[in-house]
Structure formats: structure tokens, C-alpha cells
Amino acid sequence: MSPKKVLLALTSYNDVFYSDGSKTGVFVVEALHPFNTFRKEGFEVDFVSETGKFGWDEHSLARDFLNGQDRVDFENKSSDFNMALAKVKTPKEVNSDEYKIFFASAGHGTLFDYPKAKDLQDIASEVYANGGVIAAVCHGPAIFDGLTDKKTGKPLIEGKSITGFTDIGETILGVDNILKAKDLATVEDIAKKYGAKYLAPIGPWDDYSITDGKLVTGVNPASAHSTAVRSINALKK
């Protein structure tokens, strides 16, 4: 197993979600910041989604979220980021033995497809069983809904500490009623469902990430970089 490969998961869900008619999908910086962090540390990074396709969360394209060097990297068709995205894999094209870190990026789209993404969940559980790290940021912990620890057969997050986007944050964004109407579980819901300890930041927009052994989680877009750094450090330990 190569010590220098990361598999970065993307949501395949890309449809109208917000009350203004905008689509959800991959939240740009929640894929871009981890990608750049891993590349800077010498890791190869491959992208994967359950269907091999993805689309952007349209709110994540706003200047408030995407500016400076991030926007330059995003708009440069020949950036390392875009070159890697052009080769998004399907799970069937992935050999889990090659990867030391499985990183679940986010966007509200993950709440729709990650809990049903059995192929992605299988890859993540195999990486973990091989001594690798599973990391997830913001809504990425939706991947844990149905994810089992291959060695114990129990839910992977049972008895562990995790974080992820807060219920308070959903209310502030004005999407809590949308989630209820669509019967979507929040990260806090998933933690309760599987007996995990949910840890919240002081403020929903703070940079906040935590490590529990080989499990690393972060709370929001501002935490994408620190979650990637923690996953590298968890791997070293």
C-alpha cells in the first residue's frame, strides 16, 4: 500500500436544494483545501464519487466562499486541482489497498447520497481496516450513516467522538425545514443514531476539527484545511 495516496470522495448529488432555486453539490473549498493540503505534503490525490460524476454547490461559488488563490486555482483549467478532477474515478476503478487516507468532502449533496453510497462506504471501511485514516468535513460525516468497522461488524463511529456541521448552522442557513421536509439526517442525527459522541465548536463557523484514533472530522468549510492536516498527523501516529 502506497504511503502517499489519498482518496478524496465527492458527492454525486447535484440538484436544486436551496429556497432560492440554487443547486447543492460539492462545496468547492471542502474539496480544494484538502486537495492542496495533501499535495503540499507530497501525497498523490485521486477523486472518486459513487457514480463517477459530480457538480458544484452553487452557493459555494460565491465570492464570500471562493476568493483569492482559491478562485485562481478553481478557474485555472490546468491547475493540479482541475487536472485531478478531470479524472474522477468510480468505486469500481479504485483499489482500496493503494490508499492510506479516505477523505469525505462535503456540501449538502452528501446528505442525499453518502448514506446510500455503499461502494464508497466499502472502500472507506477497507482503508480503515488496513490501518488507514477516515476523515470527513462539514456534511461529509453523512458517509458514516451505515458505515461499519470491518473488524468488529459494528457501526464505525459507535463510541467514538466526531464533529460535523451543526444543527444550529442548518437553522442559521435557513435549510433546517428543507432537511426535515426531505427527511434528511443531519450530522448530529447520525451521531445519535450510531452512539457516537458529537462535539460542537463554540461557534458554528469556527475552524474546529477533532481526532479520535484513525478517525478525523471537521465542522465546516473553514475547517477543511485543519481536518486534512489532522488526517496526515493521525496517519503518522
Side-chain angles (χ1 to χ4, degrees):
M1 183 160 60
S2 167
K4 285 288 189 180
K5 285 189 87 170
V6 175
L7 191 62
L8 213 160
L10 307 170
T11 175
S12 293
Y13 188 87
N14 187 219
D15 209 340
V16 173
F17 171 74
Y18 300 103
S19 57
D20 63 3
S22 298
K23 291 180 178 181
T24 188
V26 180
F27 203 93
V28 178
V29 297
E30 291 172 354
L32 176 61
H33 287 178
F35 177 86
N36 283 339
T37 302
F38 291 128
R39 293 291 290 123
K40 190 176 178 184
E41 291 299 317
F43 286 82
E44 289 179 43
V45 182
D46 290 330
F47 286 105
V48 65
S49 77
E50 188 74 355
T51 66
K53 295 177 182 176
F54 74 98
W56 299 117
D57 181 295
E58 292 177 338
H59 281 192
S60 76
L61 304 174
R63 293 269 171 193
D64 286 352
F65 292 114
L66 191 61
N67 50 57
Q69 189 59 46
D70 290 343
R71 186 165 284 276
V72 172
D73 290 343
F74 179 74
E75 292 179 348
N76 177 5
K77 297 299 180 195
S78 57
S79 68
D80 284 352
F81 180 64
N82 282 316
M83 296 296 275
L85 280 171
K87 297 178 280 191
V88 178
K89 296 177 181 284
T90 65
K92 287 182 172 57
E93 296 172 309
V94 169
N95 177 358
S96 58
D97 291 345
E98 293 180 10
Y99 301 94
K100 282 284 195 177
I101 298 173
F102 178 98
F103 191 103
S105 71
H108 279 93
T110 60
L111 301 181
F112 289 87
D113 74 330
Y114 276 5
K116 301 171 187 170
K118 298 307 178 190
D119 292 338
L120 286 183
Q121 290 181 341
D122 283 347
I123 292 167
S125 63
E126 284 163 8
V127 170
Y128 191 81
N130 287 338
V133 172
I134 296 183
V137 69
C138 201
H139 294 91
I143 197 79
F144 300 132
D145 190 355
L147 183 57
T148 56
D149 183 331
K150 279 190 178 294
K151 291 183 178 175
T152 65
K154 294 180 179 178
L156 188 125
I157 60 172
E158 186 179 295
K160 295 187 175 68
S161 295
I162 70 164
T163 192
F165 201 67
T166 64
D167 285 358
I168 292 168
E170 305 290 13
T171 302
I172 293 169
L173 289 180
V175 300
D176 50 332
N177 288 330
I178 297 173
L179 298 179
K180 286 187 183 113
K182 294 184 179 292
D183 198 27
L184 295 171
T186 66
V187 175
E188 291 192 39
D189 291 335
I190 292 165
K192 284 177 196 160
K193 180 178 177 181
Y194 294 102
K197 183 178 181 183
Y198 177 84
L199 302 179
I202 293 171
W205 315 119
D206 294 346
D207 178 351
Y208 180 74
S209 55
I210 62 171
T211 304
D212 188 336
K214 298 286 188 185
L215 181 66
V216 179
T217 46
V219 84
N220 55 24
S223 313
H225 168 72
S226 67
T227 305
V229 171
R230 278 182 176 275
S231 64
I232 294 168
N233 290 338
L235 184 62
K236 289 175 183 174
K237 288 178 184 175

